């Protein structure tokens, strides 16, 4: 009796599960198809109807965007320091609505996991409104994937019809258009124009000028002189506290070009941010060359002499700052980093560190990093295929490509947070374009802007800021001057940001991640001596080949030959 | 125990000495980070960044706490989390008792089968995207219900409660009550609940802590920032996104969250975990007891 009940229940259960599995997948797939169909239909309908009568929208490039008040839904990560995004509370929202007659309906996503959230919403047919705005950390393979699935709207026709300012950017910088055009010929996302001279020359290195003076030494110009300087720091107690507590050099793998090896290895071989370079139209992995090995030998000697802080390979940015700030900033002889602000917390410490020009290696080789494609910034705008009003959306985005929304989006309200000075000199030596009133609100809690979410084309870089008075720490001036000096040693070797077909993009991403992880770990191991530069180099090279370094180079070489030669 | 008068042997003494030493070190290892966070939260921001804070606060400052209390989102997140915790825990406890009691009765038809089905969901589920689609079709996306109903019942807790009822509420008790005309509902309300306060306390604590700390469901199902619980706000402030250095367009943008993060980091951690710190000592004894009860196989 009991057995029969069991088997009956079991049978029923099995049946239910089979049925529900069927109906589940059935309804899912039909749902998805239905959703996509209606989406694409809707947009094409929209496009058609809008061509026949202009739906109250203005002529291309003219404000206000719409005669009648319309609304657009925008998905963007909620910046924790922007206190409100609403009309009447946020200065940028208010100003934009008054200019365009477009009300923004916000769809604010958690900032900490924005890319994950965006992936989830896109792959499950979530409603992302009319515009996806801000830097989600999206790359080309993301766009290739979702573009080919018709989840993102191709923008090139919309741009041609409605967006004169975006076209202007494409004409002025054709590289940007090449870089954002997918292999299928469509444009799925729009990038920010990177107008930052010093950011593209940011593998910098800094020396404690007080120590130099105390030791009565000249600024090192060769790897050998640098070695001598570090030794002196370690042995001669330049901070004068009677203890041998000085640290030769430190850094951090998790900050802005603050790895200990990146700057120094440039005395042996040139390479870009991914450890690659292009010379005579040939893509090469710098980390598999003999010169790289020679550089590791040198770094290993430094490490063996106790001149490199062991925690430099694990520090995060705030740990690096703590190390540099020991003894009121009188401990570390040399630090790697894009600017003094990433490794020093106090203004006094920041002023103490002077820039080191590219060092000359033992064979006389000397080079500096330069990112030749820095103008191609992060993806800032996309339009989801489910957008209800793509024409108004592209017109709104197009307005962001004019001057004022960019300045307001980065520095706040003119006259309140910044102003145009009268003929004073900028950090980059030209006429200053702006002066910050009071403190830069960029990192402060504020309701003036969206923390650069709409920032796509600034006509002047941050180095167009008025020079600060003598004696004050002026990051922009320091970095600009350093960048000018470094540029003399830089050559065009960096690898462009390729846009691969979805399959190639996936393979490329896999290989890039795997290789990067492996060579960076191995580089640290070679420096600290966990691997022997003499004995283990062959194993390292063959392991690189196992991971697929040759295929990785081939994929890029083919793409380079096709579109970038 | 100490009141047993047996003298400790030499080897016992050595053992106790090292045991105490070991426990003391374990205590210090756990306690030090806590003290450090408390001290850092009362210290000046620059002193913390410069590594001057070792044990006690340096350059006493309430700046961090002022910033936290001035921030409307943190207060709103706090209120939201309180709501989710209270409402969610209530739903959880009611449902769990309603599921666990019948399943503990031997007279219930097919209870083993139901238990198997319950247990099945512990091991297998549809996965993230089907779940999301389900919640979307049910119309719960971007509503408070999305945080309350999908996590309405934890099978693990049902098993604990069921085992408790099975072992402590005997069949004869219900038989005696039913002779006097008592129904199951009344039996649960008037007899079972008063007799099983310990397990109810454990359920409240388990579910309460779960709701207080939970963030993933909110991350997936919510879009309106006025619904966000505290944990999402915290993550946004504290977690630094990885930035591709080749796309940096402004040297200052590298320091994106530091201003806020370093100022509030420690005070916010203290404030966010304060309720749990306050409640925990009072329910801790139930906690241990409850888990022990649940662990006895029924």
């Amino acid at each position: 009796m009991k057995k029969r009940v069991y088997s009956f229940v079991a049978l029923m259960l099995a049946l239910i599960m089979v049925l529900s599995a069927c109906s589940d997948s059935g309804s899912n797939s039909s749902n998805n198809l239905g959703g996509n169909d209606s989406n694409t239909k809707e947009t094409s309908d929209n496009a058609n109807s809008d061509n026949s009568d202009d739906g109250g929208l203005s002529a291309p490039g003219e404000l206000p965007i719409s005669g009648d008040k319309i609304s657009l839904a925008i998905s963007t990560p909620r910046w924790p320091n922007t206190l409100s995004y609403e009309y009447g509370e946020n200065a940028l929202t208010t100003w934009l609505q008054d200019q365009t007659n477009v009300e923004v309906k916000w769809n604010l996503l958690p900032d900490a996991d924005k890319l994950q959230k965006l992936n989830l919403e896109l792959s499950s047919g979530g409603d992302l409104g009319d515009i996806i705005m801000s830097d989600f950390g999206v790359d080309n393979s993301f766009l290739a994937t979702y573009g080919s699935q018709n989840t993102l709207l191709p923008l090139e026709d919309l741009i041609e019809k409605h967006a004169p300012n975006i076209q202007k950017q494409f004409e002025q910088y054709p590289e940007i258009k090449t870089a954002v055009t997918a292999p299928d010929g469509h444009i799925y996302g729009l990038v920010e124009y990177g107008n930052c001279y010093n950011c593209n020359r940011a593998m910098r290195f800094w020396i404690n000028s007080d120590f130099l003076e105390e030791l009565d030494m000249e600024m090192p110009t060769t790897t050998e002189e640098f070695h001598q300087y570090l030794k002196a720091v370690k042995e001669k107690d330049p901070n004068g506290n009677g203890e041998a507590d000085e640290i030769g050099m430190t850094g951090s793998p998790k900050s802005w070009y603050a790895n200990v090896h990146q700057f120094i290895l440039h005395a042996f071989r040139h390479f870009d941010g991914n450890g690659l370079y292009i010379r005579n139209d040939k893509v090469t992995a710098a980390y598999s060359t003999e010169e790289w090995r020679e550089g590791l030998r040198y770094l290993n000697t430094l490490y063996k002499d106790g001149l490199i802080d062991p925690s430099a390979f694990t520090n995060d940015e705030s740990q690096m700052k703590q190390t540099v700030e020991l003894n009121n900033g009188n401990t570390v002889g040399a630090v790697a980093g894009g600017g003094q602000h990433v490794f020093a917390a106090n203004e006094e410490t920041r002023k103490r560190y002077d820039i080191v020009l590219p060092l000359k290696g033992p064979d006389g080789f000397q080079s500096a990093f330069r990112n030749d494609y820095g103008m191609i910034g992060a993806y800032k705008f996309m339009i989801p295929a489910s957008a209800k009003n793509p024409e108004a959306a592209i017109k709104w985005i197009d307005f962001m490509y004019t001057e004022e929304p960019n300045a307001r989006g980065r520095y706040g309200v003119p006259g309140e947070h910044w102003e145009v000075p009268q003929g004073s000199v900028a950090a980059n030596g030209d006429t200053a374009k702006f002066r910050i009133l009071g403190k830069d609100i960029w990192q402060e809690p504020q309701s003036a802007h969206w923390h650069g979410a709409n920032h796509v084309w600034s006509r002047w870089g941050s180095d167009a800021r008025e020079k600060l008075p003598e004696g004050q720490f002026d990051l922009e001036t320091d970095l600009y001057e350093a960048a000018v000096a470094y540029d003399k040693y830089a050559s065009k070797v960096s690898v462009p940001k390729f846009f691969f077909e979805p399959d190639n993009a996936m393979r490329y991403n896999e290989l890039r991640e795997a290789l990067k992880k492996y060579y960076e770990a191995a580089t640290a191991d070679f420096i600290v001596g966990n691997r022997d530069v003499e004995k283990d180099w062959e194993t390292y090279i063959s392991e690189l080949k196992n991971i697929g370094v040759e295929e990785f180079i081939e994929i890029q070489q083919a793409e380079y030959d096709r579109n970038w030669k | 125990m100490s009141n047993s008068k047996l003298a400790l042997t030499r080897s016992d003494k050595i053992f106790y000495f090292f045991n105490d030493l070991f426990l003391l070190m374990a205590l210090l290892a756990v306690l030090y980070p806590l003290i450090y966070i408390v001290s850092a939260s009362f210290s000046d921001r620059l002193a913390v960044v410069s590594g001057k804070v070792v044990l006690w606060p340096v350059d006493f400052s309430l700046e961090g706490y002022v910033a936290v209390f001035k921030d409307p989102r943190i207060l709103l997140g706090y209120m939201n989390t309180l709501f989710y915790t209270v409402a969610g825990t209530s739903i959880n406890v009611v449902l769990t008792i309603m599921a666990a009691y019948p399943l503990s009765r031997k007279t219930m038809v097919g209870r083993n089968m139901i238990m198997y089905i319950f247990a099945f969901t512990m091991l297998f589920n549809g996965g993230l995207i089907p779940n999301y689609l389900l919640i979307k079709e049910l119309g719960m996306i971007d509503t408070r219900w999305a945080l309350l109903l999908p996590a309405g019942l934890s099978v693990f807790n049902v098993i604990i409660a069921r085992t408790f009822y099975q072992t402590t509420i005997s069949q004869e008790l219900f038989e005696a009550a039913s002779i006097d005309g008592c129904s199951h509902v009344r039996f649960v309300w008037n007899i079972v609940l008063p007799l099983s306060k310990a397990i109810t306390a454990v359920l409240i604590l388990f579910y309460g802590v779960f709701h207080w700390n939970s963030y993933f469901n909110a991350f997936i199902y919510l879009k309106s920032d006025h619904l966000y619980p505290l944990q999402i706000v915290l993550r946004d402030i504290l977690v630094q996104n990885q930035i591709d250095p080749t796309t940096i367009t402004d040297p200052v943008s590298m320091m994106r969250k530091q201003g806020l993060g370093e100022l509030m980091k420690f005070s916010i951690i203290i404030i966010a975990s304060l309720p749990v710190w306050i409640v925990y000592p009072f329910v801790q004894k139930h906690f241990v007891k409850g888990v022990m009860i649940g662990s006895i196989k029924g």
Side-chain angles (χ1 to χ4, degrees):
Chain A
M1 175 65 202
K2 205 175 174 195
K3 239 183 191 165
R4 214 187 269 169
V5 172
Y6 259 139
S7 50
F8 175 72
V9 173
L11 196 76
M12 285 304 292
L13 201 75
L15 211 68
I16 290 171
M17 281 200 300
V18 170
L19 282 178
S20 67
C22 281
S23 67
D24 223 32
S25 59
S27 69
N28 257 353
S29 58
S30 69
N31 247 348
N32 273 344
L33 282 177
N36 274 345
D37 272 354
S38 67
N39 283 343
T40 41
K41 212 181 280 165
E42 206 178 301
T43 50
S44 57
D45 274 0
N46 254 342
N48 286 340
S49 68
D50 258 47
N51 280 343
S52 45
D53 77 319
D54 60 11
L57 295 182
S58 69
E62 268 172 35
L63 293 176
I65 287 174
S66 169
D68 307 324
K69 190 165 157 194
I70 53 168
S71 69
L72 286 175
I74 299 184
S75 296
T76 193
R78 188 198 210 299
W79 181 250
N81 264 353
T82 297
L83 300 177
S84 169
Y85 279 76
E86 296 306 320
Y87 180 81
E89 290 169 20
N90 186 293
L92 184 58
T93 313
T94 311
W95 181 78
L96 276 174
Q97 182 172 330
D98 293 346
Q99 294 289 313
T100 59
N101 208 16
V102 173
E103 183 191 353
V104 175
K105 291 219 157 51
W106 292 106
N107 185 8
L108 300 170
L109 312 176
D111 181 72
D113 307 276
K114 50 191 175 185
L115 183 57
Q116 208 185 343
K117 179 89 177 170
L118 187 64
N119 265 312
L120 181 74
E121 298 276 345
L122 280 175
S123 48
S124 57
D127 182 12
L128 286 162
D130 298 289
I131 297 175
I132 301 168
M133 177 176 78
S134 185
D135 178 10
F136 277 86
V138 157
D139 60 10
N140 286 343
S141 83
F142 178 100
L143 293 185
T145 310
Y146 288 108
S148 63
Q149 292 171 0
N150 298 327
T151 327
L152 293 172
L153 206 62
L155 303 176
E156 61 283 351
D157 293 342
L158 286 169
I159 292 173
E160 202 171 306
K161 273 186 215 138
H162 303 282
N165 295 308
I166 301 176
Q167 285 176 47
K168 208 191 288 170
Q169 195 198 44
F170 284 172
E171 278 156 26
Q172 210 163 330
Y173 308 104
E175 298 95 323
I176 293 188
K177 192 174 180 189
T178 317
V180 300
T181 306
D184 59 9
H186 293 308
I187 293 173
Y188 297 110
L190 296 166
V191 291
E192 172 175 12
Y193 165 64
N195 192 352
C196 183
Y197 182 76
N198 81 65
C199 305
N200 297 331
R201 291 148 181 86
M203 265 183 209
R204 285 182 271 260
F205 206 73
W206 308 84
I207 268 188
N208 189 325
S209 57
D210 285 5
F211 282 11
L212 270 186
E213 205 171 304
E214 186 63 37
L215 296 166
D216 198 21
M217 291 177 98
E218 293 290 311
M219 184 60 88
T221 56
T222 66
T223 47
E224 183 48 37
E225 283 173 32
F226 179 62
H227 191 171
Q228 294 311 321
Y229 163 73
L230 288 186
K231 260 191 184 157
V233 167
K234 194 81 187 163
E235 287 158 8
K236 294 189 180 149
D237 187 30
N239 66 9
N241 65 356
E243 286 172 51
D245 56 356
E246 286 83 357
I247 294 169
M249 62 185 281
T250 192
S252 153
K254 292 171 196 142
S255 182
W256 190 28
Y257 293 126
N259 279 304
V260 282
H261 66 265
Q262 283 174 322
F263 169 83
I264 291 179
L265 286 180
H266 267 92
F268 297 86
R269 183 86 291 193
H270 38 54
F271 51 92
D272 69 3
N274 290 317
L276 307 174
Y277 66 87
I278 295 186
R279 209 85 187 111
N280 304 324
D281 290 331
K282 216 167 129 323
V283 185
T284 312
Y287 48 80
S288 64
T289 59
E290 272 305 311
E291 290 85 355
W292 185 279
R293 183 184 188 182
E294 193 56 41
L296 292 178
R297 275 196 192 106
Y298 169 73
L299 281 163
N300 180 241
T301 336
L302 296 187
Y303 191 85
K304 271 194 274 186
D305 289 353
L307 305 176
I308 302 177
D309 177 16
S311 62
F313 303 97
T314 52
N315 276 339
D316 64 23
E317 202 169 283
S318 62
Q319 285 162 331
M320 168 167 70
K321 274 190 183 151
Q322 288 193 5
T323 311
V324 173
E325 290 292 350
L326 289 170
N327 290 325
N328 294 320
N330 280 303
T331 300
V332 174
V335 211
Q340 301 103 314
H341 61 308
V342 302
F343 59 77
N346 295 317
E347 190 148 313
E348 284 310 307
T349 318
R350 289 175 181 177
K351 280 199 275 189
R352 190 169 295 134
Y353 281 87
D354 283 355
I355 188 80
V356 186
L357 293 182
L359 300 173
K360 216 178 245 168
D363 301 334
F365 187 84
Q366 191 176 18
S367 71
F369 162 77
R370 185 176 68 203
N371 177 8
D372 294 306
Y373 302 94
M375 71 166 68
I376 301 153
Y379 282 101
K380 281 297 186 67
F381 284 108
M382 289 169 274
I383 298 185
S386 57
K388 295 194 184 63
N389 197 347
E391 286 79 24
I394 199 77
K395 287 168 84 73
W396 190 89
I397 295 172
D398 187 57
F399 182 47
M400 299 305 138
Y401 281 75
T402 58
E403 258 188 278
E404 197 164 353
N406 283 287
R408 284 176 179 261
R410 165 64 181 88
Y411 296 104
V413 183
E416 188 181 333
H417 301 111
W418 61 280
E419 62 178 11
V420 182
Q422 293 302 319
S424 51
V425 180
N428 62 12
D430 285 346
T431 321
K433 294 282 197 288
F434 71 106
R435 168 203 295 150
I436 289 172
L437 300 171
K439 205 173 173 186
D440 186 357
I441 54 169
W442 183 246
Q443 291 179 73
E444 306 296 317
Q446 42 80 16
S447 298
H449 57 57
W450 313 325
H451 201 80
N454 67 320
H455 195 265
V456 274
W457 190 9
S458 56
R459 304 305 196 274
W460 23 266
S462 53
D463 54 12
R465 173 174 58 58
E466 188 179 57
K467 209 174 184 143
L468 298 183
E470 201 64 36
Q472 224 169 320
F473 172 68
D474 188 347
L475 182 72
E476 288 296 344
T477 306
D478 283 5
L479 295 189
Y480 178 78
E481 285 166 1
V484 171
Y486 273 45
D487 200 47
K488 295 188 191 108
Y489 305 96
S491 46
K492 194 168 160 63
V493 296
S494 43
V495 179
K497 285 181 189 164
F498 297 123
F499 211 138
F500 298 106
E501 317 260 352
D503 289 347
N504 264 347
M506 208 118 89
R507 187 70 189 132
Y508 167 79
N509 272 7
E510 264 172 40
L511 288 171
R512 192 190 56 188
E513 289 309 310
L515 286 168
K516 196 171 168 144
K517 211 167 142 192
Y518 180 70
Y519 94 76
E520 280 182 352
T523 299
D525 279 348
F526 280 124
I527 296 172
V528 303
N530 291 344
R531 286 170 201 249
D532 191 317
V533 192
E534 310 307 328
K535 279 191 228 136
D536 299 327
W537 184 258
E538 298 306 320
T539 338
Y540 164 74
I541 294 290
S542 69
E543 185 56 30
L544 281 178
K545 282 184 183 150
N546 281 342
I547 298 173
V549 69
E550 282 155 345
E551 188 190 352
F552 181 61
I553 298 295
E554 260 165 46
I555 296 179
Q556 299 184 74
Q557 186 71 52
E559 186 64 28
Y560 180 80
D561 292 343
R562 203 172 312 136
N563 290 327
W564 293 83
K565 217 167 179 174
Chain B
M1 297 290 165
S2 59
N3 48 1
S4 68
K5 296 277 188 238
L6 279 175
L8 292 173
T9 64
R10 210 179 127 79
S11 62
D12 278 348
K13 277 182 191 159
I14 294 173
F15 172 77
Y16 277 122
F17 175 75
F18 281 106
N19 194 31
D20 289 353
L21 198 72
F22 174 73
L23 287 177
L24 194 71
M25 287 195 308
L27 174 74
L28 285 178
V30 176
L31 197 62
Y32 177 70
L34 275 181
I35 295 179
Y36 177 82
I37 289 173
V38 174
S39 299
S41 76
F42 286 109
S43 300
D44 188 71
R45 163 161 48 152
L46 275 178
V48 178
V49 179
S50 321
K52 285 183 190 147
V53 178
V54 180
L55 190 60
W56 304 119
V58 176
D59 300 337
F60 185 84
S61 148
L62 288 174
E63 209 187 352
Y65 288 95
V66 172
V68 168
F69 283 110
K70 260 200 206 149
D71 195 317
R73 282 162 313 129
I74 294 178
L75 294 182
L76 187 64
Y78 217 87
M79 298 312 287
N80 281 335
T81 294
L82 276 179
F83 170 77
Y84 294 131
T85 305
V86 172
T89 308
S90 315
I91 294 173
N92 292 147
V93 171
V94 170
L95 287 181
T96 305
I97 292 174
M98 276 166 50
Y101 173 72
L103 286 173
S104 73
R105 297 299 92 182
K106 293 213 167 61
T107 50
M108 164 125 182
V109 180
R111 69 173 184 135
N112 282 331
M113 208 58 232
I114 296 176
M115 210 52 229
Y116 281 132
I117 300 174
F118 268 48
F120 184 80
T121 66
M122 287 175 84
L123 301 173
F124 305 98
N125 65 66
L128 183 60
I129 299 211
N131 264 333
Y132 179 89
L133 291 171
L134 173 70
I135 302 295
K136 197 173 111 185
E137 293 303 315
L138 291 171
M140 288 200 281
I141 290 289
D142 207 21
T143 64
R144 291 184 193 272
W145 293 112
L147 298 199
L148 303 177
L149 295 185
L153 190 76
S154 139
V155 177
F156 177 74
N157 288 343
V158 171
I159 293 176
I160 291 181
R162 186 196 73 137
T163 313
F164 181 90
Y165 294 142
Q166 231 164 33
T167 48
T168 56
I169 313 286
S170 67
Q171 194 63 29
E172 290 74 17
L173 204 56
F174 175 67
E175 282 165 6
S178 65
I179 286 173
D180 290 333
C182 180
S183 68
H184 272 295
V185 175
R186 176 138 188 222
F187 180 65
V188 170
W189 185 253
N190 285 358
I191 299 173
V192 175
L193 281 183
L195 283 178
S196 52
K197 280 184 193 137
I199 195 71
T200 314
V202 169
L203 290 179
I204 290 176
L205 193 68
F206 273 170
Y207 282 123
V209 170
F210 164 78
H211 282 290
W212 190 267
N213 290 332
S214 91
Y215 113 94
F216 194 65
N217 280 355
F219 162 67
I220 294 177
Y221 299 132
L222 298 185
K223 283 188 219 171
S224 309
D225 58 326
H226 67 271
L227 297 178
Y228 284 159
L230 185 61
Q231 302 299 341
I232 294 251
V233 181
L234 283 190
R235 268 184 80 81
D236 273 358
I237 293 176
L238 298 179
V239 173
Q240 183 102 29
N241 286 313
Q242 198 71 39
I243 310 171
D244 175 1
T246 60
T247 62
I248 285 174
T249 53
D250 190 336
V252 180
S253 65
M254 196 55 215
M255 315 166 65
R256 286 153 55 104
K257 283 187 187 173
Q258 280 168 19
L260 190 76
E262 270 164 22
L263 176 63
M264 293 196 195
K265 189 150 80 186
F266 297 104
S267 44
I268 214 171
I269 292 172
I270 301 276
I271 290 176
S273 41
L274 205 59
V276 181
W277 285 14
I278 293 173
V279 171
Y280 189 72
F282 297 103
V283 278
Q284 189 255 357
K285 57 174 191 264
H286 293 299
F287 209 77
V288 177
K289 201 160 73 185
V291 178
M292 299 278 279
I293 297 163
S295 65
I296 298 167
K297 237 184 134 198

